[in-house]
Each structure stands twice: as structure tokens, then as C-alpha cells.
């Protein structure tokens, strides 16, 4: 492990290793299910739906799963637009793996375009916010988190992209958690920062090979843990202390584990012929 790889250093901290091991075991469990041999596409589709529902719930649109499943109009009101954004992001994330490997910042811009879907003024979509532009976000501003200035946002986005492009020996869970936490902390866009951050984590977990079929919806796990715990864990991340970083990664690990549990239940239902 190189000391010049801060993500790998983070991945070696006490508490993080245990979180990584627990996630790896959970993911292996669902990938080893006999249903995955023939019906993995169905599990992937259901995981995408549950992940989108979870991401929307964290953004303030906590709809029942069946409501998300049956609806086709997602533009009538703010909650509908939030659910629609989460669904579009989940569908788009899997198409952006190659772009992510070349340009994480370009990928984030694309994710914001997909999330916005014409819901916000065109001049603010698909680019980091400028000085004086407001952030309309999904409950994050209700916390005590400071909102970084655009200059800091640009510098930290460049730094994050540099780390990702340089490659890391860190486990996928750690990389995904850092990407997720950093984007939430920065809130680089004027809107939809939470859904974009969670979609970026999904891309990391899929692209890393930890969850290549995208069947472990961490967003569903985050929603099950609740927004209050999500914000507390994020505040720990923003503190920048080793303890805070470990707490955030552990929270993300629990969320992935709960997402795995969702997909195991889907596999069991498929096996029984109930879904």
C-alpha cells in the first residue's frame, strides 16, 4: 500500500476493514443465490426500482414502493419530480461507466442533466454552481453543514477526480463512500445533489466489480436507516477526522448490507414464484 494513496490509507483504518469485510460477505451471499444463475436481470430491475425509491425518500419524497412502480407521470409536483429524477438517475448510471473512468466530472454533469430533466432553469443545469447561485436541496441544508464556496467546490472536485483517475488500491466500498460523502459535502449543483451523489456511488460500486450487476441498492439501505442517521453520518464525514470518516464508511457499509438484504428477499420471492 502506498502512502501516496489516501483512499488506500483510509481503507486500512481500524473499523473500515471490518466494514469492508462485512459488505464483501453480504454481496457474495446474494451473488451466490441460485436465482441469480437464470434470473439476474429481474433482480437487477427490481433492485433499480428499490434503489430509486430509497434515493427519492432521502430527498423528501418517501413514496411506497408500489406507488413508484405503478406511476408513469413524474412531473406534476416537487415530490413527483424527485421520484422521476431518482428513477432516471438509476437507469442512466449503468450507461456511464466508461465516461466515469475517463472523466468523473463530466459524468457528474451528465447525471445532473438527467436528474434535472428540465425542472430547473437551463443555465444552471449540468455545471457546478457559480458565486451567488442558491442551492435548493433535499433536506441537507436543514443540517448545520456549511455550504462551500464555488471556488472550494471546483478545487475539491478536481482533487477528487484526480484521485479517481490515478487509481487506488482502496476497496470499492471506501471509494464509493468517499465519492458519495464528498459530493454531499460540496453540493456542487444548484439542485438534486443528494440523488446525484447516490448515483455516483452506485457507479463506483458497479464499475469496481463489487456489484457488477447492480443488485445491491445502497440507496434502499440508506433510506431504511433514515435521514436523521444519514445526516449525522454525513456530519461525521465533514468533520474530516479519522473517526468521522470511519463512521461515515461504516454507515455506508450498513446501507449496502441492507440493500443486499432487499435483493436476497427478491431472490427468495422469485424462487417461490411470488414475484
Amino acid at each position: 500500500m502506498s502512502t501516496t494513496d489516501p483512499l488506500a490509507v483510509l481503507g486500512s483504518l481500524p473499523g473500515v476493514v471490518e466494514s469492508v469485510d462485512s459488505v464483501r460477505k453480504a454481496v457474495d451471499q446474494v451473488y451466490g443465490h441460485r436465482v441469480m444463475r437464470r434470473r439476474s436481470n429481474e433482480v437487477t430491475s427490481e433492485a433499480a426500482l428499490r434503489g430509486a425509491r430509497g434515493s427519492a425518500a432521502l430527498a423528501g419524497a418517501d413514496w411506497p414502493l408500489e406507488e413508484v412502480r405503478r406511476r408513469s407521470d413524474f412531473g406534476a409536483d416537487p415530490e413527483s419530480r424527485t421520484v422521476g429524477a431518482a428513477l432516471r438517475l438509476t437507469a442512466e448510471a449503468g450507461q456511464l461507466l466508461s465516461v466515469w473512468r475517463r472523466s468523473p466530472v463530466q459524468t457528474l454533469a451528465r447525471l445532473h442533466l438527467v436528474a434535472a430533466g428540465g425542472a430547473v432553469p437551463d443555465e444552471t443545469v449540468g455545471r457546478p454552481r457559480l458565486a451567488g447561485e442558491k442551492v435548493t436541496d433535499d433536506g441537507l441544508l436543514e443540517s448545520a453543514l456549511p455550504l462551500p464556496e464555488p471556488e472550494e467546490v471546483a478545487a475539491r472536485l478536481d482533487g477528487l477526480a484526480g484521485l479517481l483517475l490515478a487509481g487506488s488500491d482502496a476497496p470499492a466500498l471506501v471509494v464509493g463512500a468517499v465519492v458519495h460523502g464528498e459530493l454531499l459535502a460540496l453540493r456542487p449543483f444548484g439542485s438534486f445533489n443528494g440523488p446525484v451523489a447516490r448515483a455516483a456511488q452506485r457507479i463506483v460500486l458497479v464499475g469496481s466489480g463489487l456489484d457488477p450487476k447492480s443488485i445491491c441498492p445502497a440507496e434502499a439501505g440508506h433510506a431504511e436507516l433514515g435521514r436523521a442517521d444519514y445526516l449525522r453520518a454525513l456530519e461525521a464525514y465533514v468533520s474530516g477526522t479519522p473517526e468521522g470518516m470511519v463512521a461515515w464508511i461504516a454507515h455506508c457499509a450498513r446501507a449496502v448490507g441492507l440493500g443486499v438484504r432487499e435483493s436476497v428477499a427478491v431472490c427468495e420471492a422469485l424462487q417461490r414464484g411470488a414475484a
Side-chain angles (χ1 to χ4, degrees):
M1 179 186 67
S2 170
T3 56
T4 62
D5 182 352
L7 294 177
V9 172
L10 183 57
S12 70
L13 291 176
V16 174
V17 174
E18 293 81 357
S19 293
V20 169
D21 288 344
S22 70
V23 165
R24 181 74 266 174
K25 289 176 183 176
V27 173
D28 286 347
Q29 177 189 12
V30 68
Y31 271 88
H33 199 287
R34 61 188 302 175
V35 166
M36 289 295 296
R37 298 174 195 167
R38 296 184 179 180
R39 305 182 71 178
S40 63
N41 288 343
E42 294 172 68
V43 181
T44 295
S45 295
E46 185 65 18
L49 187 70
R50 294 179 184 222
R53 193 217 75 82
S55 188
L58 289 167
D62 192 1
W63 289 12
L65 181 62
E66 292 309 314
E67 178 71 5
V68 178
R69 195 189 305 279
R70 74 170 185 84
R71 286 284 291 269
S72 58
D73 177 15
F74 297 103
D77 56 78
E79 283 199 5
S80 297
R81 289 194 291 272
T82 297
V83 175
L87 287 166
R88 291 191 299 272
L89 283 168
T90 301
E92 185 76 7
Q95 310 302 314
L96 294 175
L97 293 177
S98 61
V99 182
W100 178 262
R101 293 185 181 107
R102 296 194 310 270
S103 176
V105 174
Q106 181 183 347
T107 305
L108 294 173
R110 173 61 187 169
L111 289 173
H112 189 239
L113 282 167
V114 169
V120 293
D122 290 346
E123 65 270 15
T124 69
V125 175
R127 61 157 174 77
R129 54 188 168 83
L130 303 177
E133 291 183 345
K134 295 182 179 180
V135 175
T136 303
D137 226 325
D138 47 327
L140 296 177
L141 296 181
E142 297 169 7
S143 70
L145 293 179
L147 184 66
E149 293 296 326
E151 294 80 4
E152 180 183 352
V153 171
R156 286 173 62 177
L157 280 179
D158 285 346
L160 179 63
L163 283 175
L164 295 170
L165 292 172
S168 174
D169 294 327
L173 173 70
V174 172
V175 178
V178 168
V179 167
H180 185 174
E182 192 70 359
L183 292 175
L184 289 176
L186 294 178
R187 281 153 286 167
F189 302 108
S191 58
F192 297 108
N193 287 293
V196 166
R198 292 185 283 275
Q201 180 185 19
R202 176 181 285 267
I203 290 173
V204 171
L205 297 182
V206 172
S208 68
L210 176 65
D211 182 22
K213 294 183 182 294
S214 196
I215 59 170
C216 305
E219 306 95 326
H222 282 297
E224 184 173 342
L225 291 168
R227 190 156 71 169
D229 281 358
Y230 188 63
L231 290 174
R232 277 194 292 270
L234 176 60
E235 288 168 355
Y237 173 87
V238 171
S239 74
T241 64
E243 297 79 9
M245 300 293 283
V246 170
W248 170 250
I249 293 168
H251 184 88
C252 290
R254 289 193 295 274
V256 174
L258 290 170
V260 167
R261 190 179 68 179
E262 291 263 328
S263 288
V264 169
V266 170
C267 288
E268 294 293 332
L270 288 169
Q271 186 167 281
R272 293 191 306 268

